Amino acid sequence: MSESAPSAADLTLYDPFDGMRFGPGACFLCGTPTTPPQDTVPVFADWLMDRYQLRERPIKLLDLRIVTYQELRIACCARCRTRHVEPLEAHVEAVSRQGVRGFRELDEQTLFLWLGKMFYGILVTELINQQNPLAMPQYPLAENAQMLRRFQAFFQPLQALRVPMSYDDFVPASLFVLETEATHDELPFEYDDDLSTLTFSIKLDEAVLIACLVDNGIIGQAMRRVDADARRPLHPVQVAEFKARVYYAAYLLNVVPDYFARALKPGDREVIIDSFIDDVTGTIFNPWDNSAYAQSLLEMWKRWQIPLERIVADPSRPLSYLYDAHDQPRQLPAYPVADE
């Protein structure tokens, strides 16, 4: 039996920015009125929290309040939960059991939607908390016009989680799947983000997933060579350097894509999204600055306590563990390196 054609409601996009409906009273996917706490889904799926013992683990938000992973939830109606969110989580859970190979074989849209759902939950939680903050963040998200514009753009392709959708000649995000060398890897789970650039990373055993969620794949194109060179088991300090490059590139990115849904015709079974980037300035990235990039490395290398003066010992060439002095992929059997 063929699958029934989607209804007009199934193909209707939702705009939570009309009235800024991001609180607990409206489903994040369709806007249906919801009643907390039953009409919610966890930001980090139950299977993820169970596998990595995250439920009681604390996480610090931007306004300095401490919550546990299990407290992070977003509003979701029963229909969207059972028809869209839970099937996505079940699919990714099965894929995750194949490790790095499973994530690399996963189609880009599914990976984007899974990562995007988590990121959405974190960002909305932060925005809601900043309406009544425990402590005022140094850089409030609600006052970041560029971030809000990126967020609004990001929500368009994210609706493929509910609305049958295809993207015409573009991918919404730059997605990277790295592999850590198990013998040097001591952290089964790790999560970090940069909300202002819609960039984050999540580590699940040997698989490290890194995403810039609204760049139309521009950073992925810019990092083609680095990504190809990194498709091997890496020491965690090398993974941290790769992340520093992605996060800094996202900071330099000077464009925000616009997305447009094509008008529906009778018989259409999906929404087709076109994208446009206003490149009138001709500047996709702001200029690279080694001293600013070094700060990104310093942040990502905190675990190894690598000092800034060592990172910038040669100001024209910040320290690298991904590449050697001849700009060739560097093998790093151990850290610290014996000759340093």
Side-chain angles (χ1 to χ4, degrees):
M1 182 181 293
S2 62
E3 185 179 345
S4 61
S7 67
D10 292 333
L11 296 177
T12 299
L13 299 180
Y14 168 53
D15 182 12
F17 295 87
D18 180 14
M20 301 300 284
R21 290 170 288 173
F22 298 106
C27 175
F28 85 101
L29 276 178
C30 71
T32 297
T34 52
T35 303
Q38 62 264 33
D39 291 335
T40 61
V41 292
V43 172
F44 294 88
D46 287 324
W47 69 266
L48 206 57
M49 291 192 288
D50 290 341
R51 183 182 299 179
Y52 297 101
Q53 293 81 53
L54 301 179
R55 291 188 182 277
E56 301 297 332
R57 184 185 293 194
I59 182 170
K60 181 185 285 188
L61 303 180
L62 291 177
D63 69 345
L64 303 184
R65 77 183 71 199
I66 306 295
V67 299
T68 61
Y69 276 78
Q70 66 182 348
E71 292 178 273
L72 296 172
R73 303 185 71 87
I74 48 175
C76 186
C77 69
R79 187 173 189 270
C80 285
R81 185 187 74 245
T82 57
R83 292 188 58 170
H84 307 301
V85 176
E86 289 176 350
L88 173 70
E89 292 291 356
H91 180 46
V92 175
E93 178 185 13
V95 165
S96 72
R97 298 190 182 282
Q98 303 172 47
V100 174
R101 180 175 64 84
F103 282 114
R104 284 183 174 160
E105 292 177 353
L106 186 63
D107 67 277
E108 283 190 319
Q109 187 184 66
T110 299
L111 184 56
F112 165 73
L113 295 175
W114 184 66
L115 297 173
K117 171 253 180 179
M118 284 186 286
F119 186 88
Y120 177 95
I122 291 288
L123 181 53
V124 166
T125 298
E126 297 280 16
L127 287 171
I128 292 172
N129 285 345
Q130 288 186 18
Q131 295 175 10
N132 185 25
L134 179 66
M136 182 59 70
Q138 184 178 4
Y139 304 106
L141 291 175
E143 298 177 10
N144 187 332
Q146 182 84 334
M147 186 281 294
L148 290 174
R149 188 178 166 214
R150 291 181 191 277
F151 182 32
Q152 191 165 10
F154 155 70
F155 191 76
Q156 293 284 94
L158 181 67
Q159 289 183 77
L161 180 51
R162 176 183 65 88
V163 178
M165 181 183 293
S166 64
Y167 318 127
D168 187 62
D169 286 337
F170 74 96
V171 292
S174 289
L175 305 170
F176 305 94
V177 181
L178 302 187
E179 178 181 3
T180 60
E181 175 57 65
T183 56
H184 301 298
D185 192 4
E186 58 204 36
L187 294 176
F189 176 89
E190 190 174 25
Y191 169 83
D192 56 65
D193 59 44
D194 183 339
L195 298 178
S196 65
T197 60
L198 274 67
T199 307
F200 81 56
S201 167
I202 188 167
K203 180 182 185 301
L204 308 176
D205 299 309
E206 285 81 43
V208 182
L209 315 177
I210 307 165
C212 182
L213 289 168
V214 63
D215 74 335
N216 279 13
I218 291 171
I219 291 173
Q221 287 294 313
M223 291 188 57
R224 287 193 307 274
R225 183 210 164 181
V226 181
D227 187 28
D229 289 342
R231 293 211 164 214
R232 55 194 169 94
L234 299 173
H235 190 284
V237 77
Q238 294 176 306
V239 172
E241 178 182 334
F242 189 101
K243 286 167 58 177
R245 290 171 182 248
V246 175
Y247 278 52
Y248 184 58
Y251 171 75
L252 294 180
L253 188 65
N254 197 40
V255 296
V256 179
D258 291 310
Y259 299 111
F260 305 94
R262 294 185 189 176
L264 292 171
K265 304 186 299 294
D268 280 352
R269 302 181 67 90
E270 66 176 7
V271 173
I272 299 176
I273 297 288
D274 292 300
S275 182
F276 173 75
I277 292 178
D278 182 2
D279 60 354
V280 67
T281 64
T283 304
I284 300 297
F285 290 100
N286 289 318
W288 183 281
D289 181 274
N290 277 336
S291 61
Y293 168 58
Q295 291 293 331
S296 185
L297 286 171
L298 181 69
E299 178 67 25
M300 290 297 176
W301 281 340
K302 271 185 179 177
R303 190 199 316 175
W304 297 275
Q305 300 181 322
I306 302 174
L308 183 61
E309 54 268 26
R310 188 160 140 219
I311 296 172
V312 295
D314 179 354
S316 67
R317 187 184 179 90
L319 179 65
S320 175
Y321 289 110
L322 281 171
Y323 291 98
D324 62 23
H326 304 289
D327 207 27
Q328 295 301 307
R330 183 175 180 180
Q331 300 300 321
L332 198 71
Y335 181 87
V337 180
D339 58 355
E340 290 186 346

